[in-house]
């Protein structure tokens, strides 16, 4: 008497069947891969339940919906409306939590964290779901996924060339930083009225949390979790994580610098030819290994993050130091180490920061300034104490003969 009826709905089709009530939590956890189809949800389940030979999850489900509760209740997972509605024993889905990993043969005591995307709604009322599902479906259908990378990696070259020519005509001395900031902060029609900076930061925290969960899982299980499929909506239209934001900063700064230098050397050059030249430079830059990226290419770093594959390190990587006891201990440990970018090379200005709002950034600046003042006061006090300990008085001075 512990099975529930599960209805899974997507835009094109619906299926239903029965599963144990506790398995609803695994379905909710699989939403961390942002599935939009039943097939994507099936693949995402492999993050938490190791697949074996045989049918995939839900393979034996029947077409259509069945709104009659089973033994322990009923649940709806509506991928088009992004709603989970559950009225069932043994399950109380949460937007974040842990589930015990299933190794394909048995349930283990290894807990794997998950985070449900912010645009999902988890309900404990089927009636409430039935009232809002059509509205939510219409809302998401009216705003289909936007391929922001097409704009951020293609339109940026046109913007850079136009801005560099304008700066040269205005006889500006060094406009590189200003052009970079304007590109990030200027709303664009092809981004639905949003700026490049806003679209890059929209999903950053969620992707960071999901990657951290994948790192923890890899470290415990000794193997990476399945990556996002390249045909999935989450891969093709997913947002930027921290690594891609930092890589993109370096790329744009590189392109602006090269463009500015080139058009000031060659006065007679067409806009079209310069755009084509920058696009070629961009392709080469993304493909070549970079010392700052642990001798990996920028394209590799971006690809790993888009697939939700953590960047695993080995003792051969540059960041391992033979003279560091911690590094040696990590090298001897069977678990992999992981490396991250922190953006410390980026300009200390709001436009280039990882803060969503200017208020957050200004709060950090205020905090930093207060720390600096405390350090200065502490140093001044310490100098005075050293001066007093040396036995000097206020009237003492050094005579020069």
């Amino acid at each position: 008497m512990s099975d529930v009826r599960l209805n899974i709905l997507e835009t094109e089709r619906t299926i239903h069947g029965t599963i144990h009530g506790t398995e609803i939590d695994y379905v909710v956890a699989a939403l961390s891969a942002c599935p939009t189809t039943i097939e994507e949800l099936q693949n995402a389940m492999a993050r938490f339940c190791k697949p074996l030979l045989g049918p995939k999850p839900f393979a034996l489900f029947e077409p259509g919906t069945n709104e009659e509760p089973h033994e322990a209740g009923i649940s709806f997972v509506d991928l088009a409306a992004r709603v989970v509605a559950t009225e069932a024993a043994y399950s109380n889905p949460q937007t974040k939590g842990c589930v015990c990993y299933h190794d394909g043969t048995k349930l283990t005591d290894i807990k794997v964290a998950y985070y449900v995307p912010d645009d999902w709604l988890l309900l404990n009322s089927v009636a409430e779901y039935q009232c809002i599902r059509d509205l939510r479906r219409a809302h998401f259908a009216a705003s289909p996924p936007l391929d922001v990378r097409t704009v951020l990696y293609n339109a940026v070259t046109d913007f850079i060339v136009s801005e560099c020519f304008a700066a040269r005509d205005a006889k500006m001395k060094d406009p590189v930083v200003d052009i970079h900031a304007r590109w990030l902060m200027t709303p664009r029609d092809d981004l639905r009225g949003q700026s490049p900076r806003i679209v890059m930061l929209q999903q950053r925290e969620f992707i960071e949390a999901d990657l951290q969960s994948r790192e923890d899982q890899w470290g415990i299980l000794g193997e990476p979790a399945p990556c996002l499929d390249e045909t999935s909506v989450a891969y093709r239209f997913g947002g930027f994580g921290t690594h891609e934001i930092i890589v993109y900063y370096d790329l744009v700064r590189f392109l602006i610098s090269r463009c500015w230098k080139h058009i000031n050397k060659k006065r007679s050059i067409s806009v079209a030819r310069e755009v084509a030249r920058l696009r070629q430079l961009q392709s080469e830059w993304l493909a070549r290994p970079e010392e700052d990226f642990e001798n990996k290419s920028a394209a590799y770093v971006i690809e790993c993050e888009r697939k939700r594959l953590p960047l695993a390190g080995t003792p051969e990587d540059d960041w391992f130091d033979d003279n560091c006891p911690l590094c040696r201990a990590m090298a001897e440990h069977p678990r992999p180490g992981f490396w991250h970018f922190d953006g410390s090379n980026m300009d200390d200005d709001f436009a280039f920061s990882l803060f969503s709002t200017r208020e957050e950034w200004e709060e950090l600046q205020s905090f930093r300034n207060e720390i600096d003042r405390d350090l200065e006061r502490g140093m001044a006090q310490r100098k005075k104490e050293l001066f007093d300990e040396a036995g000097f008085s206020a009237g003492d001075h050094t005579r020069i003969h």
Side-chain angles (χ1 to χ4, degrees):
M1 301 291 291
S2 57
D3 285 355
V4 303
R5 192 176 313 282
L6 173 62
N7 292 274
I8 306 177
L9 305 87
E10 61 169 59
T11 303
E12 301 297 331
R13 66 188 178 112
T14 302
I15 59 174
H16 74 273
T18 58
I19 61 175
H20 192 276
T22 58
E23 294 180 45
I24 297 295
D25 293 343
Y26 288 84
V27 178
V28 171
L31 300 179
S32 60
C34 308
T36 60
T37 66
I38 293 170
E39 287 76 15
E40 291 177 8
L41 181 61
Q42 287 174 318
N43 294 335
M45 292 286 288
R47 289 179 160 202
F48 309 97
C49 305
K50 188 172 185 177
L52 296 177
L53 294 177
K56 288 186 175 182
F58 326 125
L60 302 180
F61 277 29
E62 299 177 9
T65 58
N66 186 333
E67 299 188 2
E68 288 295 322
H70 198 55
E71 300 167 346
I74 189 168
S75 181
F76 290 81
V77 177
D78 194 327
L79 299 169
R82 301 178 198 175
V83 178
V84 175
T86 303
E87 292 182 4
Y90 306 104
S91 177
N92 182 27
Q94 303 293 320
T95 54
K96 61 181 178 179
C98 296
V99 293
C100 290
Y101 183 74
H102 196 290
D103 65 7
T105 59
K106 65 182 185 303
L107 197 65
T108 71
D109 60 358
I110 297 172
K111 293 184 177 181
V112 182
Y114 71 86
Y115 302 86
V116 177
D118 292 338
D119 53 4
W120 274 82
L121 184 62
L122 273 57
L123 304 174
N124 57 12
S125 168
V126 171
E128 184 178 357
Y129 158 67
Q130 292 170 336
C131 289
I132 66 173
R133 63 185 173 191
D134 291 340
L135 287 174
R136 285 183 63 87
R137 280 184 166 229
H139 168 75
F140 290 116
S143 182
L146 177 65
D147 187 0
V148 299
R149 288 180 177 82
T150 299
V151 178
L152 268 61
Y153 286 99
N154 293 345
V156 66
T157 52
D158 299 82
F159 180 90
I160 289 172
V161 172
S162 175
E163 290 289 313
C164 282
F165 271 100
R168 189 185 71 176
D169 294 343
K171 303 186 184 315
M172 296 181 67
K173 185 177 181 182
D174 186 5
V176 171
V177 175
D178 289 340
I179 292 174
H180 195 169
R182 274 198 300 278
W183 164 251
L184 292 175
M185 299 290 286
T186 304
R188 298 179 56 88
D189 291 340
D190 50 11
L191 293 177
R192 297 175 182 168
Q194 302 174 103
S195 68
R197 184 181 188 278
I198 287 176
V199 298
M200 283 196 294
L201 291 174
Q202 281 175 344
Q203 296 183 41
R204 185 186 76 85
E205 291 185 357
F206 167 73
I207 293 173
E208 279 288 287
D210 191 46
L211 275 168
Q212 183 61 57
S213 176
R214 303 285 74 74
E215 284 187 17
D216 295 341
Q217 184 174 355
W218 189 345
I220 295 172
L221 298 177
E223 60 182 5
C227 296
L228 295 182
D229 190 277
E230 293 182 12
T231 63
S232 67
V233 170
Y235 173 85
R236 293 185 294 126
F237 301 105
F240 280 49
T242 301
H243 287 172
E244 187 170 6
I245 292 172
I246 293 172
V247 168
Y248 186 75
Y249 170 94
D250 289 343
L251 169 64
V252 174
R253 185 58 61 89
F254 166 79
L255 293 176
I256 298 172
S257 299
R258 286 298 184 92
C259 181
W260 178 244
K261 184 177 181 180
H262 190 244
I263 68 170
N264 277 284
K265 278 187 175 181
K266 295 188 176 182
R267 305 297 294 183
S268 58
I269 183 172
S270 71
V271 170
R273 289 186 63 182
E274 184 61 9
V275 168
R277 190 183 77 90
L278 282 196
R279 289 182 177 173
Q280 179 62 33
L281 286 175
Q282 174 178 283
S283 297
E284 294 171 355
W285 187 90
L286 287 169
R288 71 172 179 247
E290 290 286 339
E291 184 177 350
D292 289 343
F293 303 152
E294 304 296 337
N295 293 319
K296 306 292 193 303
S297 71
Y300 173 83
V301 172
I302 293 170
E303 180 73 1
C304 285
E305 191 169 60
R306 290 183 67 182
K307 288 184 174 181
R308 311 289 171 80
L309 178 66
L311 294 172
T314 68
E316 289 73 34
D317 289 330
D318 291 340
W319 56 274
F320 274 86
D321 184 353
D322 290 336
N323 296 319
C324 170
L326 180 59
C327 291
R328 291 198 302 271
M330 291 173 62
E332 294 169 359
H333 200 282
R335 295 183 180 182
F338 301 98
W339 47 285
H340 307 86
F341 303 151
D342 60 7
S344 58
N345 62 311
M346 298 162 71
D347 285 339
D348 190 14
D349 185 81
F350 171 68
F352 310 112
S353 74
L354 299 178
F355 288 99
S356 298
T357 66
R358 186 174 291 275
E359 289 74 20
E360 292 174 322
W361 179 79
E362 288 176 348
E363 184 178 346
L364 176 63
Q365 302 309 307
S366 177
F367 177 71
R368 285 176 173 173
N369 292 337
E370 184 60 33
I371 289 178
D372 289 342
R373 287 192 290 269
D374 287 344
L375 288 174
E376 290 175 1
R377 285 193 291 266
M379 291 178 63
Q381 179 63 29
R382 183 54 181 156
K383 287 180 179 179
K384 181 178 183 301
E385 291 172 354
L386 291 172
F387 187 81
D388 292 341
E389 290 171 3
F392 293 104
S393 65
D396 290 337
H397 59 276
T398 302
R399 293 182 180 273
I400 300 177
H401 296 281

